[in-house]
Amino acid sequence: SAVISQKPSRDICQRGTSLTIQCQVDSQVTMMFWYRQQPGQSLTLIATANQGSEATYESGFVIDKFPISRPNLTFSTLTVSNMSPEDSSIYLCSVELGDVPFFGSGTQLSVL
Amino acid sequence: AQSVTQPDIHITVSEGASLELRCNYSYGATPYLFWYVQSPGQGLQLLLKYFSGDTLVQGIKGFEAEFKRSQSSFNLRKPSVHWSDAAEYFCAVDDTDKLIFGTGTRLQVFP
């Protein structure tokens, strides 16, 4: 398995501001994934981040709103930009080891 | 498009009772299937996975799941539920390096 650390674990933000979420993995991985879980909903993939290239975004998600960095094989950040209350969700980082996806503990974001 | 259906939004069982959570999938090839559990305010913990081979797979915390290709199902079972099993359970299929999740089943356990 993998140890995946996410920071912050939770935050309350004002609308119009931005929040950057960090994800650190204890082993080198090719791809890192960012998911969103809206209140009472299931998880939806936002984007896939490979080291050294631009992230690949799923339909309905754009780079201007959710910029992602992937500076090395153990770290990634997701920024939620120009936040609105609709962005209130849990954001989870995920990696695959041996074809098995593992998840961080998530960042619970509330936007006022 | 690939999809995962969990027909039961909410299930309530008594502690010590048996449990079965249903999961049906739609996938064109041989699926990689997973069950995850999420406690309130927490991330997802892997319970078990199916890639190939024996269709009955054992997981952590006494859970097991059976893959039935003919029914496109991957139901999760536990013979005796503990109060600490109360949580949200998600079934997922791996669709070329991304997970497609079901809508989840919330399990409530009464003493």
Side-chain angles (χ1 to χ4, degrees):
Chain A
S1 65
V3 176
I4 305 171
S5 303
Q6 264 188 254
K7 291 194 296 186
S9 58
R10 60 178 63 236
D11 207 341
I12 301 173
C13 301
Q14 297 296 320
R15 70 173 66 209
T17 63
S18 298
L19 175 72
T20 296
I21 303 167
Q22 300 179 3
C23 179
Q24 179 78 51
V25 188
D26 67 343
S27 55
Q28 294 184 339
V29 293
T30 305
M31 292 189 288
M32 296 178 76
F33 305 85
W34 288 98
Y35 286 83
R36 181 177 73 180
Q37 185 180 24
Q38 293 178 298
Q41 303 294 316
S42 188
L43 286 81
T44 302
L45 181 66
I46 297 172
T48 304
N50 288 326
Q51 192 265 336
S53 62
E54 272 200 9
T56 301
Y57 290 81
E58 296 297 305
S59 175
F61 298 97
V62 295
I63 187 171
D64 289 346
K65 176 66 175 177
F66 298 101
I68 288 171
S69 78
R70 183 76 202 277
N72 57 54
L73 292 174
T74 63
F75 187 79
S76 177
T77 67
L78 170 76
T79 299
V80 186
S81 303
N82 188 24
M83 288 184 285
S84 67
E86 292 71 35
D87 294 318
S88 297
S89 298
I90 299 175
Y91 293 85
L92 297 108
C93 171
S94 174
V95 302
E96 273 195 10
L97 289 177
D99 290 328
V100 178
F102 294 95
F103 287 82
S105 55
T107 297
Q108 189 154 3
L109 171 62
S110 297
V111 183
L112 304 179
Chain B
Q2 327 305 346
S3 66
V4 176
T5 302
Q6 293 179 249
D8 305 305
I9 296 173
H10 187 198
I11 284 182
T12 302
V13 299
S14 299
E15 190 170 19
S18 63
L19 173 71
E20 181 168 29
L21 302 183
R22 295 183 290 166
C23 173
N24 292 95
Y25 66 89
S26 170
Y27 192 71
T30 302
Y32 285 8
L33 294 159
F34 307 88
W35 274 99
Y36 290 89
V37 60
Q38 185 180 37
S39 297
Q42 301 296 312
L44 272 67
Q45 182 181 22
L46 178 69
L47 286 175
L48 47 77
K49 63 185 184 294
Y50 173 78
F51 288 172
S52 65
D54 193 347
T55 56
L56 185 63
V57 294
Q58 302 297 320
I60 62 171
K61 304 185 179 186
F63 285 93
E64 66 177 27
E66 186 170 12
F67 171 63
K68 292 186 177 180
R69 185 187 299 277
S70 62
Q71 298 178 19
S72 298
S73 69
F74 189 55
N75 294 349
L76 182 72
R77 300 194 294 249
K78 186 169 185 177
S80 178
V81 171
H82 188 263
W83 65 266
S84 60
D85 293 325
E88 186 92 20
Y89 291 80
F90 292 96
C91 180
V93 63
D94 188 328
D95 179 15
T96 55
D97 288 333
K98 75 176 184 183
L99 286 181
I100 306 297
F101 284 89
T103 50
T105 298
R106 178 164 297 279
L107 175 65
Q108 194 169 8
V109 181
F110 282 116

